[in-house]
Amino acid sequence: MILNALKTPDIQAEDRHGAVGATLIFLLFFCSLLRAPVPCAAQSEITANFPRNNWQPTRAPLGARYVGDKVCAQCHTSEAQFQEQTAMAHALESVAACRILHKHPALTGRIGPYTYHIVTQGGRSIYSVSDGTTVFSAPILYAFGQGQAGQTYVYHYNGAYYESRVSFFNDTKSLDLTLGYSRTHPQNVEEAAGRRTSVDESRDCFACHSTAAVQGEKLQVGHLMPGITCEGCHGPGAEHVEAVKARDFQSLHIFNPGKLSTQDLSDFCGSCHRSWQQVEMMHVEGVQSVRFQPYRLELSRCFDAIDPRISCLACHDPHHEVRTDAAFYDSKCLACHRGGGKSFKLSAARTAPACPVSQKNCVTCHMPKYELPGAHFEFTDHYIRIARAGAPYPN
């Protein structure tokens, strides 16, 4: 017996008729449940400085006009050149552009009685699962994640979008259980293939992995730009381009997250990477929270809502790939920890005590890595602290 969903749907047409959107990616490298809006502190700051009311990094107002990163690159050449190589820029890929699927055209995996295959050929990737008697198959529509840890896939079946039960993991170069799934055996090949996603889940996941996918509260898959492009953080750019051409430099109609306060920037980035408020609402506890960097950062004793030296942008430039060499971050730590006072004062002028052990490779001790079970990956914990050897993971 063969079950299949090999006819790729007309995504844009189905979206116009209110079809269920795409997927919740329950992986370390993807968005888990995102149900809370951007916290009020960030939203008020954004709307005060950006003329498009209600624009957020995961939402754009109805009628927003995008121009695409190629237009942005005409002026912002350096930023665009490096940003398009980042994992963020490839947070979502079509099958035709998916480097992992084309590099690994025959992926396999086995979980319990079920065997999984992803075969890529002729610009298509077919996802299939078999119990030895029945085979379910469907074409993959989108790949989520860039493979630092892994990549999860989305397919269409029975009028809805599904998240694949297995994912590609970079350490094994094979398929294994997607993070968040139980290892208990599904009842049939349809259940073994994946999970149907809700409208809210689909909208929120696409919003964090692509650009222009959501306007207002509506998912518009037919209009999305894969990955997080320039306009994913800076907002729809058509009015900005028009203002520049008109030499109206007083009303540039573009948003610069770098002008936000440290707290508002944490909430802004936390729209996808999870803010403190969102994690508290989600009731995530234990090591599962290690992948929510803004939340973990705000737990740090040295976090200061107004000090730019502890903001997300103090260490990470979103126009460049994340640096993995520990020594790179020493200067960031020493911007505060250069001796001086004995206490942490909440001001941008504070000077924190220097580390008595070393002033090199600070993050290896004070931001330890934790392996998330089932994730095939170690995350850097952004809760900055004196980490004691053998101490349990701190909530």
Side-chain angles (χ1 to χ4, degrees), residues 182-246:
S182 169
R183 285 199 173 268
T184 57
H185 300 321
Q187 298 299 307
N188 52 58
V189 291
E190 293 178 57
E191 289 185 13
R195 183 182 67 83
R196 179 173 178 153
T197 62
S198 71
V199 174
D200 287 347
E201 292 171 344
S202 301
R203 181 192 63 226
D204 291 337
C205 199
F206 265 95
C208 283
H209 284 266
S210 65
T211 302
V214 178
Q215 291 198 22
E217 294 296 317
K218 186 178 180 181
L219 176 64
Q220 301 184 100
V221 178
H223 299 291
L224 71 78
M225 291 179 277
I228 304 303
T229 67
C230 310
E231 293 167 292
C233 291
H234 293 286
E239 292 182 39
H240 173 64
V241 172
E242 291 167 359
V244 172
K245 288 181 177 179

Side-chain angles (χ1 to χ4, degrees), residues 294-316:
Y295 165 74
R296 299 297 291 175
L297 182 64
E298 289 191 41
L299 293 176
S300 307
R301 183 184 176 193
C302 56
F303 182 79
D304 184 338
I306 62 173
D307 193 334
R309 294 175 297 176
I310 194 63
S311 76
C312 304
L313 295 180
C315 289
H316 302 298

Side-chain angles (χ1 to χ4, degrees), residues 128-196:
S128 63
V129 55
S130 172
D131 61 3
T133 303
T134 303
V135 178
F136 171 91
S137 62
I140 292 172
L141 300 180
Y142 295 101
F144 279 70
Q146 190 44 47
Q148 270 192 320
Q151 187 172 75
T152 294
Y153 305 101
V154 178
Y155 61 94
H156 189 268
Y157 179 64
N158 262 357
Y161 291 88
Y162 283 71
E163 171 196 70
S164 61
R165 187 169 179 263
V166 295
S167 297
F168 168 85
F169 286 95
N170 195 44
D171 62 340
T172 61
K173 304 296 190 292
S174 62
L175 301 175
D176 199 359
L177 193 69
T178 299
L179 189 68
Y181 281 80
S182 169
R183 285 199 173 268
T184 57
H185 300 321
Q187 298 299 307
N188 52 58
V189 291
E190 293 178 57
E191 289 185 13
R195 183 182 67 83
R196 179 173 178 153

Side-chain angles (χ1 to χ4, degrees), residues 79-151:
E79 292 86 350
Q81 174 187 355
F82 293 107
Q83 197 277 334
E84 68 179 7
Q85 304 301 321
T86 66
M88 272 180 57
H90 296 273
L92 178 148
E93 294 177 314
S94 65
V95 169
C98 183
R99 290 177 283 187
I100 287 176
L101 289 177
H102 290 282
K103 185 177 181 180
H104 304 281
L107 290 168
T108 62
R110 184 176 181 86
I111 301 176
Y114 298 103
T115 302
Y116 295 85
H117 296 277
I118 296 178
V119 177
T120 301
Q121 188 175 19
R124 304 183 79 203
S125 293
I126 304 301
Y127 171 56
S128 63
V129 55
S130 172
D131 61 3
T133 303
T134 303
V135 178
F136 171 91
S137 62
I140 292 172
L141 300 180
Y142 295 101
F144 279 70
Q146 190 44 47
Q148 270 192 320
Q151 187 172 75

Side-chain angles (χ1 to χ4, degrees), residues 297-362:
L297 182 64
E298 289 191 41
L299 293 176
S300 307
R301 183 184 176 193
C302 56
F303 182 79
D304 184 338
I306 62 173
D307 193 334
R309 294 175 297 176
I310 194 63
S311 76
C312 304
L313 295 180
C315 289
H316 302 298
D317 181 350
H319 304 109
H320 292 264
E321 190 55 280
V322 174
R323 296 286 296 264
T324 58
D325 47 318
F328 171 78
Y329 297 99
D330 288 345
S331 62
K332 318 298 182 182
C333 302
L334 296 176
C336 291
H337 292 273
R338 54 179 183 269
K342 297 182 179 180
S343 63
F344 292 94
K345 298 179 180 179
L346 295 180
S347 77
R350 70 185 180 186
T351 301
C355 178
V357 177
S358 175
Q359 294 187 22
K360 295 182 179 179
N361 299 323
C362 309

